[in-house]
Amino acid sequence: MKTLQELTRPNIWSLAPYSSARNEYSGHAAHVFLDANENPYNAPYNRYPDPLQEEVKEKLSHIKGVPAECIFLGNGSDEAIDLVYRCFCEPGKDNVVAICPTYGMYQVCADINNVEYRNVMLDDDYQVSADRLLAACDANTKAIWICSPNNPTGNNINRDEIIKVLEQFDGLVIIDEAYIDFSREQTISRLLSKYPNMIVLQTLSKAWGSAAIRLGMAFASKDIIAIYNKVKYPYNVNLLTQQQALNRLNNTYDVEQWVRMLLQERGRLMTAFAELKICEKVYPTDANFFLAKVTDAQGIYDYLVEKGIIVRNRTRVQLCHDCLRITIGTREENNELLGALRSI
């Protein structure tokens, strides 16, 4: 692996980060705050939030088994994705490699940051070999993106191939585990200490039922997290989000119940969907959604919209022609979808 200094953009490595008022007295008890030009009224919303979200990270550390200093919290996972480019990729020079199809924000952030984005197509089983990913790299490749379970395909990427990439690539490997709570595989974050070039992304948006609060997580070495913290905006996670995250993290039993119910519904819905006249194939999944090839994705999508039922039409995505992506809803919502499709 290249050193972290070699991977980091030179201007970022030498960057003197903004020092917020809340950072400067860290470690000392205080009760009179006259440092940040805040309004003294309307507590607690008058005060800037903890810029490093230490209480939330401590709670997450116990739940996820990752040291607090190895956790970054952002405004959704999209902030952690964008920071890969802002911290490590020189615009107009460096490139990244990613599986295809996959989550679209990897390429959107690359385009915004003027970083070349190289696709490596999945095979017919929606898998990819490490050799093909590595063959797409050159001396200016800073990162490889692997979403597992993948979106929109739903399947886990072969873990042995991921490990091979981690061991043979000298840059950063980002494993996006947004859907890991629905998967039969364990999180790869337990291998953080073994692979210092790995960044693992997770979120509270899916299994934790908290998409509205916009809280994403990145797990990595404390040195990578320190680079992230240099570049992020000082108060990137607001107080309301931190409070709601703590509420959610203190109720893990709810999440376990939700996941159990969704997995049961996933099996039932996929079986019923496969029997529909409009269905040609249902692909295996380890997420809270599944991909299905249908007779006419656009026509069926339009029909469902008229019924007030929204699914995701992925027919324009490579390798997903005439495919719909179906999120697992409540039993009642799933029954309404099946009823509408049986009427075609």
Side-chain angles (χ1 to χ4, degrees), residues 29-50:
H31 65 280
V32 176
F33 299 100
L34 306 176
D35 57 331
N37 302 334
E38 299 155 324
N39 187 328
Y41 306 109
N42 195 37
Y45 308 111
N46 59 325
R47 301 298 181 189
Y48 288 107
D50 176 4

Side-chain angles (χ1 to χ4, degrees), residues 126 152-153 273 280-283 290-298 301 311-326:
Y126 292 143
T153 60
F273 202 94
E280 296 186 352
K281 182 175 183 178
V282 173
Y283 292 92
F290 64 90
L291 193 69
K293 186 173 179 62
V294 295
T295 52
D296 175 15
Q298 188 62 55
Y301 173 81
V311 297
R312 197 76 193 271
N313 183 7
R314 300 281 76 189
T315 192
R316 294 183 177 84
V317 174
Q318 290 176 287
L319 301 184
C320 296
H321 180 68
D322 267 334
C323 286
L324 298 176
R325 193 190 70 191
I326 314 294

Side-chain angles (χ1 to χ4, degrees), residues 161-210:
E161 298 302 311
I162 294 176
I163 297 299
K164 188 175 179 180
V165 171
L166 284 164
E167 292 179 343
Q168 296 190 18
F169 182 54
D170 62 2
L172 298 171
V173 181
I174 303 95
I175 315 298
D176 190 342
E177 291 188 334
Y179 302 96
I180 194 64
D181 297 291
F182 305 101
S183 174
R184 290 163 290 186
E185 281 198 341
Q186 288 188 330
T187 173
I188 201 170
S189 63
R190 59 191 176 87
L191 300 178
L192 275 176
S193 60
K194 186 175 182 180
Y195 298 110
N197 59 331
M198 180 169 68
I199 300 173
V200 179
L201 305 182
Q202 292 188 16
T203 181
L204 292 191
S205 294
K206 309 301 180 183
W208 292 82
S210 298

Side-chain angles (χ1 to χ4, degrees), residues 180-332:
I180 194 64
D181 297 291
F182 305 101
S183 174
R184 290 163 290 186
E185 281 198 341
Q186 288 188 330
T187 173
I188 201 170
S189 63
R190 59 191 176 87
L191 300 178
L192 275 176
S193 60
K194 186 175 182 180
Y195 298 110
N197 59 331
M198 180 169 68
I199 300 173
V200 179
L201 305 182
Q202 292 188 16
T203 181
L204 292 191
S205 294
K206 309 301 180 183
W208 292 82
S210 298
I213 73 171
R214 308 308 303 128
L215 190 71
M217 299 166 270
F219 307 140
S221 72
K222 65 179 182 180
D223 295 327
I224 289 176
I225 297 302
I227 296 293
Y228 262 40
N229 287 334
K230 283 178 68 172
V231 176
K232 77 172 186 70
Y233 293 119
Y235 304 107
N236 62 321
V237 179
N238 68 67
L239 175 64
L240 297 175
T241 291
Q242 293 185 46
Q243 290 175 332
Q244 185 57 35
L246 287 169
N247 290 339
R248 183 74 277 140
L249 294 170
N250 283 322
N251 291 280
T252 58
Y253 178 71
D254 287 346
V255 179
E256 293 167 2
Q257 279 193 307
W258 295 338
V259 170
R260 185 164 53 250
M261 290 188 295
L262 287 169
L263 291 180
Q264 290 174 348
E265 273 300 291
R266 185 179 74 184
R268 185 186 76 90
L269 181 58
M270 290 175 68
T271 298
F273 202 94
E275 297 172 352
L276 296 170
K277 291 185 299 181
I278 54 93
C279 180
E280 296 186 352
K281 182 175 183 178
V282 173
Y283 292 92
T285 184
D286 272 274
N288 67 328
F289 63 86
F290 64 90
L291 193 69
K293 186 173 179 62
V294 295
T295 52
D296 175 15
Q298 188 62 55
I300 294 167
Y301 173 81
D302 292 340
Y303 165 79
L304 289 173
V305 169
E306 290 296 319
K307 296 284 187 179
I309 301 170
I310 309 301
V311 297
R312 197 76 193 271
N313 183 7
R314 300 281 76 189
T315 192
R316 294 183 177 84
V317 174
Q318 290 176 287
L319 301 184
C320 296
H321 180 68
D322 267 334
C323 286
L324 298 176
R325 193 190 70 191
I326 314 294
T327 303
I328 310 304
T330 64
R331 189 176 186 88
E332 293 74 21

